[in-house]
Structure formats: structure tokens, C-alpha cells
Amino acid sequence: MTDTPDLEPTEADRPEWTKAHGPLRSFGRIKSRPIKARQAALFDTLMPRIAVPDPAKGPIDPQALAPEAEEVWLEIGFGGGEHLAAQAARHPQALMIGCEPFLNGVASALRHVEEGGLKNVRLHADDARAVMAALPDASLDRVMILFPDPWHKARHNKRRFLQDETAVEITRLLKPGGRVRFVTDWLDYADWALERLARTPGLTRIMTEGADWFAVPADHVVTRYEEKKLGDTTPIFLEFARDASR
């Protein structure tokens, strides 16, 4: 992603917990290349049926979105939607909520949903934080944050999605025993994320065998972004669970 100033949200659009550093956007461009006609059409036909309700209009009840769902997962920044769609196909009992501000990615996800005939996916074509603020306590079984924008420059670190405030908010949203998975291919961001998740009350790290953070979880889905190997390290996987006692 690129560091562009367009479409900066206003303060009025932000929940209180996002305002610790003032105006903040944790993603770059909103749209790059033209969206193919077929995918663009899905914004008019499919998107209205599977869109997450506007969080600005009030709380969002996941059970109302899919009363039959046994679990609720949230993927923050789903890129092209390959991972989201694959997990939805593997876990038809789970409602998959995906948030992505990059419109080309949303268009790609819509295509995956249509081609897969997926009925358990709901999409939000904007910043995930507004949806998170609208969700009730202990409403999610899993939160997935895969390859977020690293914002390399030190002065831009405050734009990284994973901050102390976001870690606290994720903890609020997880059910007891619920898990958050953070994946990055930038070593500095892995260190940053580990530090913040580890010091968040209510979260406990799930150690892989040998404490190897390069170990790929059995249920991981490799995406096109991951295959490009744009980072400075092999993908690093951090997984934490919300304490059952909280």
C-alpha cells in the first residue's frame, strides 16, 4: 500500500477509542486500477445483500446478521478476499465478517463470494474500526489480521492498525477462549505487535511448538500477497487467546 493523503476520514467519523493519536488512517490508497465491469456490477447486485449494516447508524448484532451461525469471525483488511472466502467455505457454520477499505480488494472478494456460492460472508467496504466499535462485548470467536500495512517510517508507526487501543478493543470483542491471529512479513511490525498484544490484559499467547513464530498454522490460507514476498522476513504468526476467566 502507498502512503497517500486522499479520503482522510474526519474526526466525526471515528469512535472514541480510535482518537488517541488524533486523525489516523491505518491504510493507504482506496483504489488503484480500474475495477473490471463484472466485479463493478457486483457492487450493485451482490454487495447490498451481504453488506454489514452501517455502523454509524447504531450497534451491530452479529446474530441478527446470521441467526443460524455457531461462530462469528472477523477479518480485518482482507486484501483480495482469498483467505476470507476460503475460510468461509471451510467453516460454513461460522459467520465471516470482512472489512477492507481498498475497493479493488472488495471487488475481488465479491467475485470470490459469488463464484463460491458463499452464504456466510458479510462485507464492510471501509475501515474496520467503526464496525468493531459497533459490535457487542464477547461477540467474536476469532479475529484475523493478515499482513496489515507496516507503515515503516518511525513517524508513521502511529498509523499501524495494531496499537494498544486496538488490542484492548479486540480483547473486548473476543469471547472467552476466542483467538486473535496477527500475521506479518515485516520483522519490525512483528516485534511491535508482539509487544502490544503481550501487554494487553486478558490476552495470553498461544505458543507454537518450540515457540517458533514462523510455524504456519494448519488452517492458514496462503494469499497472492503472501506469495509476492514483499517483506523482509518469512511470514510470522502471532496467536493470542482471550482468557477464559475474563
Side-chain angles (χ1 to χ4, degrees):
M1 292 187 179
T2 56
D3 184 13
T4 55
D6 59 314
L7 298 180
E8 188 74 36
T10 66
E11 278 297 282
D13 297 325
R14 304 182 184 286
E16 288 296 325
W17 64 274
T18 68
K19 299 178 182 178
H21 301 287
L24 170 70
R25 195 178 72 202
S26 61
F27 47 89
R29 62 193 175 185
I30 300 298
K31 180 175 175 289
S32 60
R33 62 189 182 281
I35 297 174
K36 296 178 180 178
R38 177 191 167 197
Q39 294 181 355
L42 293 175
F43 277 97
D44 296 322
T45 58
L46 179 58
M47 188 64 176
R49 302 201 306 268
I50 67 171
V52 174
D54 184 355
K57 294 183 178 179
I60 297 172
D61 179 5
Q63 290 303 312
L65 298 180
E68 72 286 355
E70 298 173 10
E71 300 178 19
V72 182
W73 295 24
L74 172 67
E75 183 167 346
I76 298 168
F78 56 70
E82 304 105 312
H83 178 272
L84 183 72
Q87 295 290 11
R90 291 179 180 180
H91 303 277
Q93 83 288 356
L95 169 64
M96 301 288 176
I97 299 175
C99 301
E100 173 60 59
F102 188 41
L103 295 184
N104 297 81
V106 177
S108 175
L110 288 169
R111 176 176 61 83
H112 287 301
V113 170
E114 181 191 46
E115 292 179 349
L118 303 173
K119 306 299 183 183
N120 58 330
V121 175
R122 301 293 183 270
L123 301 180
H124 179 67
D126 208 331
D127 195 329
R129 286 168 292 200
V131 170
M132 293 168 67
L135 290 171
D137 295 354
S139 57
L140 302 179
D141 294 271
R142 298 194 71 176
V143 174
M144 317 287 282
I145 309 171
L146 276 58
F147 304 102
D149 195 314
W151 293 103
H152 296 297
K153 296 178 182 178
R155 64 189 177 90
H156 289 158
N157 283 174
K158 65 184 181 182
R159 289 179 177 268
R160 288 175 167 175
F161 181 83
L162 191 59
Q163 304 286 339
D164 287 308
E165 295 84 3
T166 9
V168 170
E169 183 70 350
I170 289 169
T171 306
R172 176 186 74 82
L173 293 172
L174 286 174
K175 298 175 183 177
R179 296 188 176 192
V180 54
R181 176 178 296 169
F182 179 92
V183 187
T184 183
D185 52 0
W186 293 97
L187 187 59
D188 174 69
Y189 202 176
D191 289 333
W192 169 284
L194 179 59
E195 181 180 4
R196 279 148 186 80
L197 291 170
R199 69 190 182 200
T200 300
L203 288 182
T204 298
R205 188 179 178 190
I206 300 172
M207 304 297 286
T208 56
E209 184 177 352
D212 181 5
W213 65 357
F214 296 106
V216 181
D219 63 349
H220 177 62
V221 177
V222 177
T223 66
R224 286 180 297 171
Y225 172 86
E226 184 176 346
E227 291 175 338
K228 293 178 181 179
K229 299 181 179 180
L230 299 176
D232 62 2
T233 182
T234 301
I236 292 169
F237 296 81
L238 302 176
E239 191 135 357
F240 283 73
R242 181 177 176 180
D243 298 343
S245 61
R246 295 182 67 88

